[in-house]
Amino acid sequence: MPVPDDFTEVELTLPPLTPGTALVENLWLSVDPYMRECMDGDWDLHAPLEGRSVGRVTDSLSPGLPVGSLVFHRDGWRTHTVLTPGEARRLPAYEGIAPESFLGLLGGTGLTAYVALTRIARLRAGETVFVSAAAGGVGTAVGQLARLLGAGRIVGSAGSPAKARLLTEELGFDAALDRSAPAPLAHQLRQAAPDGIDVYVDNVGGDHLEAAIASMREHGRIAWCGAIAQYHAATPPAAPRNLFDLVEKSIRLEGFLVARHGDAQQELEDFLVPHLRAGRVVDRLSVTEGFDHAVDAFLGMLRGANTGKAVVRLDPHG
């Protein structure tokens, strides 16, 4: 498990603007589970980190990034950055949609859920969906999107009784499993979905994947996008003991990286923006205030302190 001493806050001097570049003041930062894996070698020591961010252009020598425009980019974990148009996406101005939603339901979090359900699992109307880590960013998005896409029954797992209640009482899940309960997950899932499940969106791996395989109907589909169960482990957990059920029940398991599905972004926005405006979905965010608390937000997210997408607000007026 990472600790605060793994991080150092430093002050750097930004390069001067050159033709084609713009100065961006970051307003919102995203902290995500994948960042834990980046700490094992993808991120260099003593170098700025990366992450999704929404910022405002405050100075510009680029016609493509005019002053005042809001942009999405990946130079997170910092207050300011200098970017070119190729390194930033100028955000559309949807009436009634907050900029921070481009880190939540309209960002990588919502896109992960949308791709999992529509492209990987190919959810069909009336089917039963199970999602692990359902109170987190991707999990809450999967539950709400599955309902909009016509799922018949939606089951989620969470890490506490309070989070399990949140899923059923506020987010529209039909049933919730409590990972902290004495009953094994496989038993809880059989009770929550006695007729079996058709689609599983996996954010955890380990015993969650084993339980899902055990409850899956023939020709079920598993969209695997995260493995929280092993992020802090010195060695990977043992593979699910029932993998051969994939053969016996003709189950398809497919892993995916949302970064390879950027072409679905506009499709996601076309689908979700009307639902967001109408209040049929809620972009639930766990907001930590202030750049100085970004590490706290990250470590809290890894401990499961958040419900919904974990973000950091740098500007209280942003």
Side-chain angles (χ1 to χ4, degrees):
M1 181 71 183
V3 297
D5 287 346
D6 292 326
F7 299 83
T8 301
E9 183 180 323
V10 298
E11 185 172 316
L12 304 176
T13 300
L14 288 171
L17 292 187
T18 57
T21 64
L23 175 64
V24 174
E25 178 184 12
N26 286 337
L27 305 177
W28 293 86
L29 306 180
S30 174
V31 289
D32 298 282
Y34 82 86
M35 293 172 170
R36 173 61 188 86
E37 288 193 291
C38 291
M39 294 182 72
D40 289 336
D42 293 328
W43 283 345
D44 294 328
L45 289 174
H46 311 297
L49 309 183
E50 69 81 41
R52 301 181 181 107
S53 181
V54 169
R56 179 182 290 113
V57 177
T58 59
D59 195 4
S60 180
L61 295 178
S62 171
L65 296 174
V67 171
S69 57
L70 290 173
V71 296
F72 169 89
H73 62 88
R74 298 197 68 96
D75 270 7
W77 293 86
R78 67 201 80 188
T79 60
H80 297 76
T81 187
V82 173
L83 300 171
T84 66
E87 296 169 321
R89 178 197 176 204
R90 193 174 169 188
L91 292 176
Y94 294 121
E95 183 179 355
I97 303 299
E100 58 268 31
S101 285
F102 288 94
L103 297 181
L105 282 179
L106 295 180
T109 299
L111 188 61
T112 298
Y114 184 78
V115 167
L117 293 169
T118 62
R119 293 190 171 188
I120 309 301
R122 299 175 189 174
L123 174 66
R124 296 186 286 266
E127 291 188 320
T128 297
V129 175
F130 172 47
V131 56
S132 52
V138 171
T140 56
V142 166
Q144 295 186 86
L145 285 172
R147 183 69 70 201
L148 296 175
L149 292 166
R153 185 168 179 78
I154 303 169
V155 179
S157 71
S160 69
K163 286 190 174 183
R165 288 193 299 272
L166 170 79
L167 296 180
T168 56
E169 295 175 4
E170 296 186 32
L171 293 174
F173 283 71
D174 296 293
L177 318 183
D178 177 7
R179 183 168 47 84
S180 67
L185 278 169
H187 174 74
Q188 293 186 57
L189 184 54
R190 282 193 298 270
Q191 289 190 316
D195 296 325
I197 61 175
D198 302 289
V199 167
Y200 173 45
V201 179
D202 192 5
N203 293 299
V204 175
D207 56 352
H208 281 75
L209 179 56
E210 184 172 297
I213 292 172
S215 281
M216 191 149 278
R217 295 171 176 155
E218 286 194 355
H219 304 290
R221 288 90 64 205
I222 300 171
W224 197 357
C225 54
I228 296 171
Q230 67 185 61
Y231 285 163
H232 311 306
T235 57
R241 295 164 294 181
N242 55 354
L243 277 178
F244 194 72
D245 284 5
L246 300 179
V247 176
E248 294 180 339
K249 295 194 279 188
S250 300
I251 296 168
R252 179 168 57 83
L253 184 156
E254 182 176 348
F256 73 98
L257 293 173
V258 71
R260 297 176 181 170
H261 293 271
D263 60 312
Q265 178 65 37
Q266 191 59 54
E267 185 181 326
L268 170 74
E269 292 176 25
D270 292 343
F271 176 73
L272 260 188
V273 167
H275 292 298
L276 276 167
R277 284 190 183 131
R280 288 186 288 269
V281 292
V282 177
D283 198 4
R284 190 178 184 94
L285 302 174
S286 283
V287 180
T288 298
E289 300 287 352
F291 177 78
D292 291 346
H293 297 287
V295 172
D296 298 331
F298 174 62
L299 300 182
M301 177 272 302
L302 292 178
R303 291 192 300 267
N306 59 301
T307 53
K309 178 73 189 76
V311 295
V312 181
R313 177 163 44 197
L314 274 60
D315 180 356
H317 307 293

